[in-house]
Amino acid sequence: MSVRTQKKVRALGLFSGGLDSILAVKLLQEQGIKVTGITFVSPFFSSRTAEQAGKEMDLPLIIRDITRAHLEIVKDPPHGYGKTMNPCIDCHALMLHVAGRFMEKEGYDFLFTGEVLGERPMSQNRQSLNTVAKASGYQDRILRPLSAKLMKPTLSEETGLVRRDMLLDIQGRSRKPQMEMARRYGLHEYPNPAGGCLLTDKGFSRRLKDLLAQEPDPEIRLIHLLRTGRHFRLNEKVKLVVGRNQRENGVITRIFSNR
């Protein structure tokens, strides 16, 4: 008797609310798998897109704040940065590690992501995906449904929890296969394929680097301040932040009012 005939299979997926993560959910739901999403919050990204998409899909969604752990990785990433201060490999490994611990605690059968092999040349090539999986501590339990047929079978496939023949072999930077799938599922509106992480923004990264150089363990509100206004470093101890309009002045006031 196969595992699938004995119990309802439950999967926990990293869910950004982008098209790839939506399609990964749909693929597994087609197999009768009960899917829950998990998304993360830090000063560098929010859960808004994931929450909106999850609501529209009626997808149960877990939100976890990883601010402190993420900030430590940003300060000293074991696998280094991308073009700016974005430690994508270590960030993804952290998310999968946190998700993996929740998976074990709550009895989910495996993890999955919407990653596509080769879609992002630096962070989603085969070596990077393998490095992320290994660093997370859950290498054998991470399924990537959109590119699964191009990868070594995971434990969930080998044990019959997931039908490998119903998974896909998408690769590369073209979005045409995903857009065709979206039409098949009746998805007409979905976010553009952007990471939404402030660490990939050159201006924000410069401000963050300056802050960490002066304050290695900054208050979280000072990181939030980096998003707003014009910033002028007067000396090692003094920085001037000027709001460019009434809205930004209001943001600055709120940041310093909420101690």
PDB file of all heavy atoms in Angstrom, residues 133-169:
ATOM      1  N   ALA A 133      19.572  24.224  -0.363  1.00  0.00           N
ATOM      2  CA  ALA A 133      18.907  23.070   0.235  1.00  0.00           C
ATOM      3  C   ALA A 133      19.775  22.436   1.317  1.00  0.00           C
ATOM      4  O   ALA A 133      19.297  22.106   2.411  1.00  0.00           O
ATOM      5  CB  ALA A 133      18.565  22.055  -0.845  1.00  0.00           C
ATOM      6  N   LYS A 134      21.057  22.276   1.031  1.00  0.00           N
ATOM      7  CA  LYS A 134      21.964  21.667   2.008  1.00  0.00           C
ATOM      8  C   LYS A 134      22.123  22.544   3.241  1.00  0.00           C
ATOM      9  O   LYS A 134      22.085  22.057   4.378  1.00  0.00           O
ATOM     10  CB  LYS A 134      23.319  21.417   1.358  1.00  0.00           C
ATOM     11  CG  LYS A 134      24.307  20.683   2.262  1.00  0.00           C
ATOM     12  CD  LYS A 134      25.597  20.372   1.509  1.00  0.00           C
ATOM     13  CE  LYS A 134      26.576  19.622   2.411  1.00  0.00           C
ATOM     14  NZ  LYS A 134      27.846  19.306   1.686  1.00  0.00           N
ATOM     15  N   ALA A 135      22.279  23.860   3.028  1.00  0.00           N
ATOM     16  CA  ALA A 135      22.468  24.782   4.153  1.00  0.00           C
ATOM     17  C   ALA A 135      21.233  24.871   5.037  1.00  0.00           C
ATOM     18  O   ALA A 135      21.332  25.173   6.229  1.00  0.00           O
ATOM     19  CB  ALA A 135      22.845  26.168   3.633  1.00  0.00           C
ATOM     20  N   SER A 136      20.062  24.607   4.467  1.00  0.00           N
ATOM     21  CA  SER A 136      18.821  24.693   5.255  1.00  0.00           C
ATOM     22  C   SER A 136      18.689  23.562   6.263  1.00  0.00           C
ATOM     23  O   SER A 136      17.963  23.679   7.245  1.00  0.00           O
ATOM     24  CB  SER A 136      17.611  24.656   4.314  1.00  0.00           C
ATOM     25  OG  SER A 136      17.397  23.341   3.800  1.00  0.00           O
ATOM     26  N   GLY A 137      19.380  22.450   5.990  1.00  0.00           N
ATOM     27  CA  GLY A 137      19.258  21.284   6.858  1.00  0.00           C
ATOM     28  C   GLY A 137      18.141  20.341   6.467  1.00  0.00           C
ATOM     29  O   GLY A 137      17.901  19.339   7.150  1.00  0.00           O
ATOM     30  N   TYR A 138      17.453  20.627   5.360  1.00  0.00           N
ATOM     31  CA  TYR A 138      16.314  19.795   4.935  1.00  0.00           C
ATOM     32  C   TYR A 138      16.435  19.412   3.457  1.00  0.00           C
ATOM     33  O   TYR A 138      15.451  19.388   2.719  1.00  0.00           O
ATOM     34  CB  TYR A 138      14.997  20.542   5.183  1.00  0.00           C
ATOM     35  CG  TYR A 138      14.737  20.779   6.649  1.00  0.00           C
ATOM     36  CD1 TYR A 138      15.128  21.969   7.259  1.00  0.00           C
ATOM     37  CD2 TYR A 138      14.132  19.806   7.434  1.00  0.00           C
ATOM     38  CE1 TYR A 138      14.915  22.186   8.621  1.00  0.00           C
ATOM     39  CE2 TYR A 138      13.913  20.010   8.793  1.00  0.00           C
ATOM     40  CZ  TYR A 138      14.306  21.198   9.377  1.00  0.00           C
ATOM     41  OH  TYR A 138      14.094  21.407  10.711  1.00  0.00           O
ATOM     42  N   GLN A 139      17.627  19.093   3.037  1.00  0.00           N
ATOM     43  CA  GLN A 139      17.931  18.891   1.631  1.00  0.00           C
ATOM     44  C   GLN A 139      17.014  17.878   0.941  1.00  0.00           C
ATOM     45  O   GLN A 139      16.555  18.110  -0.180  1.00  0.00           O
ATOM     46  CB  GLN A 139      19.384  18.443   1.484  1.00  0.00           C
ATOM     47  CG  GLN A 139      19.855  18.336   0.046  1.00  0.00           C
ATOM     48  CD  GLN A 139      21.357  18.128  -0.034  1.00  0.00           C
ATOM     49  OE1 GLN A 139      22.024  17.879   0.966  1.00  0.00           O
ATOM     50  NE2 GLN A 139      21.907  18.239  -1.236  1.00  0.00           N
ATOM     51  N   ASP A 140      16.731  16.762   1.592  1.00  0.00           N
ATOM     52  CA  ASP A 140      15.953  15.699   0.952  1.00  0.00           C
ATOM     53  C   ASP A 140      14.455  15.951   0.986  1.00  0.00           C
ATOM     54  O   ASP A 140      13.685  15.190   0.384  1.00  0.00           O
ATOM     55  CB  ASP A 140      16.248  14.350   1.619  1.00  0.00           C
ATOM     56  CG  ASP A 140      17.687  13.898   1.395  1.00  0.00           C
ATOM     57  OD1 ASP A 140      18.265  14.304   0.374  1.00  0.00           O
ATOM     58  OD2 ASP A 140      18.222  13.158   2.244  1.00  0.00           O
ATOM     59  N   ARG A 141      14.039  16.991   1.685  1.00  0.00           N
ATOM     60  CA  ARG A 141      12.600  17.210   1.860  1.00  0.00           C
ATOM     61  C   ARG A 141      12.100  18.472   1.166  1.00  0.00           C
ATOM     62  O   ARG A 141      10.993  18.914   1.401  1.00  0.00           O
ATOM     63  CB  ARG A 141      12.260  17.244   3.352  1.00  0.00           C
ATOM     64  CG  ARG A 141      12.661  15.950   4.059  1.00  0.00           C
ATOM     65  CD  ARG A 141      12.245  15.930   5.504  1.00  0.00           C
ATOM     66  NE  ARG A 141      10.796  15.805   5.646  1.00  0.00           N
ATOM     67  CZ  ARG A 141      10.180  15.743   6.832  1.00  0.00           C
ATOM     68  NH1 ARG A 141      10.891  15.804   7.950  1.00  0.00           N
ATOM     69  NH2 ARG A 141       8.865  15.629   6.894  1.00  0.00           N
ATOM     70  N   ILE A 142      12.933  19.041   0.282  1.00  0.00           N
ATOM     71  CA  ILE A 142      12.557  20.258  -0.439  1.00  0.00           C
ATOM     72  C   ILE A 142      12.250  19.916  -1.896  1.00  0.00           C
ATOM     73  O   ILE A 142      13.124  19.481  -2.646  1.00  0.00           O
ATOM     74  CB  ILE A 142      13.682  21.309  -0.388  1.00  0.00           C
ATOM     75  CG1 ILE A 142      13.973  21.695   1.067  1.00  0.00           C
ATOM     76  CG2 ILE A 142      13.284  22.551  -1.185  1.00  0.00           C
ATOM     77  CD1 ILE A 142      15.210  22.562   1.224  1.00  0.00           C
ATOM     78  N   LEU A 143      11.013  20.121  -2.289  1.00  0.00           N
ATOM     79  CA  LEU A 143      10.571  19.871  -3.652  1.00  0.00           C
ATOM     80  C   LEU A 143      10.411  21.194  -4.393  1.00  0.00           C
ATOM     81  O   LEU A 143       9.875  22.154  -3.845  1.00  0.00           O
ATOM     82  CB  LEU A 143       9.231  19.125  -3.625  1.00  0.00           C
ATOM     83  CG  LEU A 143       8.561  18.859  -4.978  1.00  0.00           C
ATOM     84  CD1 LEU A 143       9.352  17.820  -5.771  1.00  0.00           C
ATOM     85  CD2 LEU A 143       7.122  18.389  -4.757  1.00  0.00           C
ATOM     86  N   ARG A 144      10.851  21.220  -5.644  1.00  0.00           N
ATOM     87  CA  ARG A 144      10.646  22.398  -6.507  1.00  0.00           C
ATOM     88  C   ARG A 144       9.811  21.938  -7.695  1.00  0.00           C
ATOM     89  O   ARG A 144      10.348  21.535  -8.736  1.00  0.00           O
ATOM     90  CB  ARG A 144      11.997  22.960  -6.918  1.00  0.00           C
ATOM     91  CG  ARG A 144      12.781  23.537  -5.693  1.00  0.00           C
ATOM     92  CD  ARG A 144      14.186  23.933  -6.061  1.00  0.00           C
ATOM     93  NE  ARG A 144      14.828  24.665  -4.980  1.00  0.00           N
ATOM     94  CZ  ARG A 144      15.831  24.180  -4.237  1.00  0.00           C
ATOM     95  NH1 ARG A 144      16.292  22.959  -4.436  1.00  0.00           N
ATOM     96  NH2 ARG A 144      16.371  24.928  -3.278  1.00  0.00           N
ATOM     97  N   PRO A 145       8.485  21.982  -7.562  1.00  0.00           N
ATOM     98  CA  PRO A 145       7.577  21.352  -8.529  1.00  0.00           C
ATOM     99  C   PRO A 145       7.736  21.810  -9.970  1.00  0.00           C
ATOM    100  O   PRO A 145       7.549  21.020 -10.899  1.00  0.00           O
ATOM    101  CB  PRO A 145       6.183  21.723  -7.998  1.00  0.00           C
ATOM    102  CG  PRO A 145       6.387  21.979  -6.549  1.00  0.00           C
ATOM    103  CD  PRO A 145       7.735  22.601  -6.443  1.00  0.00           C
ATOM    104  N   LEU A 146       8.082  23.092 -10.188  1.00  0.00           N
ATOM    105  CA  LEU A 146       8.146  23.614 -11.544  1.00  0.00           C
ATOM    106  C   LEU A 146       9.341  23.082 -12.327  1.00  0.00           C
ATOM    107  O   LEU A 146       9.329  23.071 -13.566  1.00  0.00           O
ATOM    108  CB  LEU A 146       8.175  25.139 -11.531  1.00  0.00           C
ATOM    109  CG  LEU A 146       6.946  25.823 -10.916  1.00  0.00           C
ATOM    110  CD1 LEU A 146       7.110  27.335 -10.949  1.00  0.00           C
ATOM    111  CD2 LEU A 146       5.676  25.417 -11.645  1.00  0.00           C
ATOM    112  N   SER A 147      10.383  22.648 -11.637  1.00  0.00           N
ATOM    113  CA  SER A 147      11.589  22.135 -12.305  1.00  0.00           C
ATOM    114  C   SER A 147      11.976  20.750 -11.808  1.00  0.00           C
ATOM    115  O   SER A 147      13.092  20.288 -12.061  1.00  0.00           O
ATOM    116  CB  SER A 147      12.758  23.103 -12.082  1.00  0.00           C
ATOM    117  OG  SER A 147      12.511  24.363 -12.657  1.00  0.00           O
ATOM    118  N   ALA A 148      11.084  20.071 -11.131  1.00  0.00           N
ATOM    119  CA  ALA A 148      11.420  18.816 -10.448  1.00  0.00           C
ATOM    120  C   ALA A 148      11.986  17.747 -11.382  1.00  0.00           C
ATOM    121  O   ALA A 148      12.887  16.987 -11.007  1.00  0.00           O
ATOM    122  CB  ALA A 148      10.197  18.273  -9.724  1.00  0.00           C
ATOM    123  N   LYS A 149      11.471  17.665 -12.595  1.00  0.00           N
ATOM    124  CA  LYS A 149      11.919  16.617 -13.518  1.00  0.00           C
ATOM    125  C   LYS A 149      13.355  16.817 -14.003  1.00  0.00           C
ATOM    126  O   LYS A 149      13.933  15.916 -14.607  1.00  0.00           O
ATOM    127  CB  LYS A 149      10.970  16.529 -14.709  1.00  0.00           C
ATOM    128  CG  LYS A 149       9.617  15.923 -14.379  1.00  0.00           C
ATOM    129  CD  LYS A 149       8.759  15.791 -15.624  1.00  0.00           C
ATOM    130  CE  LYS A 149       7.431  15.123 -15.314  1.00  0.00           C
ATOM    131  NZ  LYS A 149       6.576  14.998 -16.520  1.00  0.00           N
ATOM    132  N   LEU A 150      13.897  17.982 -13.749  1.00  0.00           N
ATOM    133  CA  LEU A 150      15.280  18.273 -14.124  1.00  0.00           C
ATOM    134  C   LEU A 150      16.239  18.040 -12.967  1.00  0.00           C
ATOM    135  O   LEU A 150      17.451  18.235 -13.111  1.00  0.00           O
ATOM    136  CB  LEU A 150      15.402  19.729 -14.591  1.00  0.00           C
ATOM    137  CG  LEU A 150      14.536  20.120 -15.799  1.00  0.00           C
ATOM    138  CD1 LEU A 150      14.597  21.622 -16.016  1.00  0.00           C
ATOM    139  CD2 LEU A 150      14.989  19.373 -17.039  1.00  0.00           C
ATOM    140  N   MET A 151      15.692  17.632 -11.837  1.00  0.00           N
ATOM    141  CA  MET A 151      16.486  17.470 -10.626  1.00  0.00           C
ATOM    142  C   MET A 151      16.379  16.045 -10.089  1.00  0.00           C
ATOM    143  O   MET A 151      15.516  15.280 -10.499  1.00  0.00           O
ATOM    144  CB  MET A 151      16.018  18.468  -9.548  1.00  0.00           C
ATOM    145  CG  MET A 151      16.106  19.918  -9.980  1.00  0.00           C
ATOM    146  SD  MET A 151      15.458  21.035  -8.710  1.00  0.00           S
ATOM    147  CE  MET A 151      15.682  22.622  -9.523  1.00  0.00           C
ATOM    148  N   LYS A 152      17.253  15.732  -9.173  1.00  0.00           N
ATOM    149  CA  LYS A 152      17.225  14.431  -8.528  1.00  0.00           C
ATOM    150  C   LYS A 152      15.923  14.284  -7.743  1.00  0.00           C
ATOM    151  O   LYS A 152      15.485  15.218  -7.064  1.00  0.00           O
ATOM    152  CB  LYS A 152      18.420  14.312  -7.574  1.00  0.00           C
ATOM    153  CG  LYS A 152      18.487  13.001  -6.818  1.00  0.00           C
ATOM    154  CD  LYS A 152      19.686  13.015  -5.880  1.00  0.00           C
ATOM    155  CE  LYS A 152      19.714  11.735  -5.039  1.00  0.00           C
ATOM    156  NZ  LYS A 152      20.867  11.736  -4.092  1.00  0.00           N
ATOM    157  N   PRO A 153      15.257  13.122  -7.829  1.00  0.00           N
ATOM    158  CA  PRO A 153      14.007  12.927  -7.074  1.00  0.00           C
ATOM    159  C   PRO A 153      14.208  13.156  -5.580  1.00  0.00           C
ATOM    160  O   PRO A 153      15.216  12.747  -4.998  1.00  0.00           O
ATOM    161  CB  PRO A 153      13.644  11.470  -7.370  1.00  0.00           C
ATOM    162  CG  PRO A 153      14.300  11.168  -8.666  1.00  0.00           C
ATOM    163  CD  PRO A 153      15.587  11.948  -8.666  1.00  0.00           C
ATOM    164  N   THR A 154      13.253  13.835  -4.966  1.00  0.00           N
ATOM    165  CA  THR A 154      13.297  14.084  -3.532  1.00  0.00           C
ATOM    166  C   THR A 154      12.624  12.940  -2.779  1.00  0.00           C
ATOM    167  O   THR A 154      12.008  12.050  -3.379  1.00  0.00           O
ATOM    168  CB  THR A 154      12.584  15.402  -3.199  1.00  0.00           C
ATOM    169  OG1 THR A 154      11.211  15.290  -3.614  1.00  0.00           O
ATOM    170  CG2 THR A 154      13.232  16.562  -3.930  1.00  0.00           C
ATOM    171  N   LEU A 155      12.720  12.990  -1.472  1.00  0.00           N
ATOM    172  CA  LEU A 155      12.142  11.931  -0.639  1.00  0.00           C
ATOM    173  C   LEU A 155      10.637  11.821  -0.842  1.00  0.00           C
ATOM    174  O   LEU A 155      10.081  10.717  -0.859  1.00  0.00           O
ATOM    175  CB  LEU A 155      12.462  12.211   0.829  1.00  0.00           C
ATOM    176  CG  LEU A 155      12.081  11.128   1.843  1.00  0.00           C
ATOM    177  CD1 LEU A 155      12.843   9.839   1.552  1.00  0.00           C
ATOM    178  CD2 LEU A 155      12.377  11.615   3.267  1.00  0.00           C
ATOM    179  N   SER A 156       9.982  12.955  -1.019  1.00  0.00           N
ATOM    180  CA  SER A 156       8.522  12.926  -1.202  1.00  0.00           C
ATOM    181  C   SER A 156       8.127  12.206  -2.486  1.00  0.00           C
ATOM    182  O   SER A 156       7.078  11.569  -2.551  1.00  0.00           O
ATOM    183  CB  SER A 156       7.961  14.359  -1.205  1.00  0.00           C
ATOM    184  OG  SER A 156       8.512  15.116  -2.265  1.00  0.00           O
ATOM    185  N   GLU A 157       8.958  12.304  -3.508  1.00  0.00           N
ATOM    186  CA  GLU A 157       8.687  11.591  -4.758  1.00  0.00           C
ATOM    187  C   GLU A 157       9.020  10.110  -4.624  1.00  0.00           C
ATOM    188  O   GLU A 157       8.269   9.243  -5.087  1.00  0.00           O
ATOM    189  CB  GLU A 157       9.517  12.208  -5.889  1.00  0.00           C
ATOM    190  CG  GLU A 157       9.162  13.667  -6.185  1.00  0.00           C
ATOM    191  CD  GLU A 157      10.246  14.355  -6.974  1.00  0.00           C
ATOM    192  OE1 GLU A 157      10.223  14.220  -8.215  1.00  0.00           O
ATOM    193  OE2 GLU A 157      11.107  15.023  -6.363  1.00  0.00           O
ATOM    194  N   GLU A 158      10.137   9.810  -4.003  1.00  0.00           N
ATOM    195  CA  GLU A 158      10.585   8.416  -3.876  1.00  0.00           C
ATOM    196  C   GLU A 158       9.640   7.582  -3.019  1.00  0.00           C
ATOM    197  O   GLU A 158       9.490   6.371  -3.245  1.00  0.00           O
ATOM    198  CB  GLU A 158      11.996   8.378  -3.290  1.00  0.00           C
ATOM    199  CG  GLU A 158      13.055   8.953  -4.222  1.00  0.00           C
ATOM    200  CD  GLU A 158      14.424   9.002  -3.582  1.00  0.00           C
ATOM    201  OE1 GLU A 158      14.515   9.034  -2.337  1.00  0.00           O
ATOM    202  OE2 GLU A 158      15.418   9.014  -4.328  1.00  0.00           O
ATOM    203  N   THR A 159       8.998   8.225  -2.050  1.00  0.00           N
ATOM    204  CA  THR A 159       8.093   7.493  -1.156  1.00  0.00           C
ATOM    205  C   THR A 159       6.647   7.523  -1.621  1.00  0.00           C
ATOM    206  O   THR A 159       5.760   6.988  -0.941  1.00  0.00           O
ATOM    207  CB  THR A 159       8.167   8.057   0.272  1.00  0.00           C
ATOM    208  OG1 THR A 159       7.845   9.458   0.247  1.00  0.00           O
ATOM    209  CG2 THR A 159       9.560   7.870   0.871  1.00  0.00           C
ATOM    210  N   GLY A 160       6.381   8.157  -2.757  1.00  0.00           N
ATOM    211  CA  GLY A 160       5.035   8.151  -3.303  1.00  0.00           C
ATOM    212  C   GLY A 160       4.109   9.217  -2.766  1.00  0.00           C
ATOM    213  O   GLY A 160       2.914   9.200  -3.060  1.00  0.00           O
ATOM    214  N   LEU A 161       4.642  10.170  -2.009  1.00  0.00           N
ATOM    215  CA  LEU A 161       3.802  11.267  -1.528  1.00  0.00           C
ATOM    216  C   LEU A 161       3.404  12.180  -2.685  1.00  0.00           C
ATOM    217  O   LEU A 161       2.327  12.781  -2.675  1.00  0.00           O
ATOM    218  CB  LEU A 161       4.540  12.080  -0.466  1.00  0.00           C
ATOM    219  CG  LEU A 161       4.850  11.381   0.863  1.00  0.00           C
ATOM    220  CD1 LEU A 161       5.706  12.283   1.734  1.00  0.00           C
ATOM    221  CD2 LEU A 161       3.569  11.003   1.573  1.00  0.00           C
ATOM    222  N   VAL A 162       4.299  12.286  -3.664  1.00  0.00           N
ATOM    223  CA  VAL A 162       4.077  13.142  -4.822  1.00  0.00           C
ATOM    224  C   VAL A 162       4.315  12.321  -6.093  1.00  0.00           C
ATOM    225  O   VAL A 162       5.256  11.525  -6.159  1.00  0.00           O
ATOM    226  CB  VAL A 162       5.047  14.347  -4.816  1.00  0.00           C
ATOM    227  CG1 VAL A 162       4.827  15.220  -6.046  1.00  0.00           C
ATOM    228  CG2 VAL A 162       4.872  15.166  -3.565  1.00  0.00           C
ATOM    229  N   ARG A 163       3.463  12.525  -7.086  1.00  0.00           N
ATOM    230  CA  ARG A 163       3.650  11.869  -8.376  1.00  0.00           C
ATOM    231  C   ARG A 163       4.609  12.697  -9.228  1.00  0.00           C
ATOM    232  O   ARG A 163       4.279  13.804  -9.652  1.00  0.00           O
ATOM    233  CB  ARG A 163       2.312  11.709  -9.089  1.00  0.00           C
ATOM    234  CG  ARG A 163       1.436  10.626  -8.526  1.00  0.00           C
ATOM    235  CD  ARG A 163       0.141  10.506  -9.308  1.00  0.00           C
ATOM    236  NE  ARG A 163       0.381  10.335 -10.759  1.00  0.00           N
ATOM    237  CZ  ARG A 163      -0.593  10.208 -11.657  1.00  0.00           C
ATOM    238  NH1 ARG A 163      -1.869  10.231 -11.260  1.00  0.00           N
ATOM    239  NH2 ARG A 163      -0.300  10.061 -12.940  1.00  0.00           N
ATOM    240  N   ARG A 164       5.760  12.140  -9.480  1.00  0.00           N
ATOM    241  CA  ARG A 164       6.776  12.863 -10.254  1.00  0.00           C
ATOM    242  C   ARG A 164       6.311  13.127 -11.683  1.00  0.00           C
ATOM    243  O   ARG A 164       6.653  14.152 -12.275  1.00  0.00           O
ATOM    244  CB  ARG A 164       8.083  12.062 -10.256  1.00  0.00           C
ATOM    245  CG  ARG A 164       9.252  12.781 -10.944  1.00  0.00           C
ATOM    246  CD  ARG A 164      10.536  11.991 -10.765  1.00  0.00           C
ATOM    247  NE  ARG A 164      11.653  12.550 -11.523  1.00  0.00           N
ATOM    248  CZ  ARG A 164      12.441  13.541 -11.104  1.00  0.00           C
ATOM    249  NH1 ARG A 164      12.226  14.084  -9.908  1.00  0.00           N
ATOM    250  NH2 ARG A 164      13.436  13.995 -11.852  1.00  0.00           N
ATOM    251  N   ASP A 165       5.498  12.235 -12.240  1.00  0.00           N
ATOM    252  CA  ASP A 165       5.052  12.404 -13.621  1.00  0.00           C
ATOM    253  C   ASP A 165       4.120  13.604 -13.785  1.00  0.00           C
ATOM    254  O   ASP A 165       3.890  14.069 -14.903  1.00  0.00           O
ATOM    255  CB  ASP A 165       4.360  11.134 -14.121  1.00  0.00           C
ATOM    256  CG  ASP A 165       3.085  10.835 -13.346  1.00  0.00           C
ATOM    257  OD1 ASP A 165       3.177  10.599 -12.125  1.00  0.00           O
ATOM    258  OD2 ASP A 165       1.995  10.833 -13.954  1.00  0.00           O
ATOM    259  N   MET A 166       3.575  14.114 -12.678  1.00  0.00           N
ATOM    260  CA  MET A 166       2.695  15.280 -12.736  1.00  0.00           C
ATOM    261  C   MET A 166       3.437  16.587 -12.430  1.00  0.00           C
ATOM    262  O   MET A 166       2.840  17.656 -12.367  1.00  0.00           O
ATOM    263  CB  MET A 166       1.517  15.115 -11.783  1.00  0.00           C
ATOM    264  CG  MET A 166       0.571  13.992 -12.177  1.00  0.00           C
ATOM    265  SD  MET A 166      -0.835  13.826 -11.034  1.00  0.00           S
ATOM    266  CE  MET A 166      -1.738  15.361 -11.366  1.00  0.00           C
ATOM    267  N   LEU A 167       4.754  16.484 -12.222  1.00  0.00           N
ATOM    268  CA  LEU A 167       5.571  17.673 -11.996  1.00  0.00           C
ATOM    269  C   LEU A 167       6.151  18.140 -13.332  1.00  0.00           C
ATOM    270  O   LEU A 167       5.961  17.499 -14.357  1.00  0.00           O
ATOM    271  CB  LEU A 167       6.664  17.360 -10.981  1.00  0.00           C
ATOM    272  CG  LEU A 167       6.153  16.847  -9.626  1.00  0.00           C
ATOM    273  CD1 LEU A 167       7.318  16.481  -8.711  1.00  0.00           C
ATOM    274  CD2 LEU A 167       5.241  17.870  -8.956  1.00  0.00           C
ATOM    275  N   LEU A 168       6.890  19.262 -13.315  1.00  0.00           N
ATOM    276  CA  LEU A 168       7.299  19.892 -14.571  1.00  0.00           C
ATOM    277  C   LEU A 168       8.815  19.964 -14.738  1.00  0.00           C
ATOM    278  O   LEU A 168       9.578  19.636 -13.821  1.00  0.00           O
ATOM    279  CB  LEU A 168       6.696  21.296 -14.652  1.00  0.00           C
ATOM    280  CG  LEU A 168       5.167  21.377 -14.560  1.00  0.00           C
ATOM    281  CD1 LEU A 168       4.715  22.820 -14.669  1.00  0.00           C
ATOM    282  CD2 LEU A 168       4.504  20.521 -15.628  1.00  0.00           C
ATOM    283  N   ASP A 169       9.218  20.402 -15.940  1.00  0.00           N
ATOM    284  CA  ASP A 169      10.640  20.517 -16.272  1.00  0.00           C
ATOM    285  C   ASP A 169      10.947  21.903 -16.851  1.00  0.00           C
ATOM    286  O   ASP A 169      11.679  22.041 -17.823  1.00  0.00           O
ATOM    287  CB  ASP A 169      11.056  19.430 -17.257  1.00  0.00           C
ATOM    288  CG  ASP A 169      10.241  19.452 -18.548  1.00  0.00           C
ATOM    289  OD1 ASP A 169       9.298  20.284 -18.648  1.00  0.00           O
ATOM    290  OD2 ASP A 169      10.549  18.653 -19.447  1.00  0.00           O
TER     291      ASP A 169
END
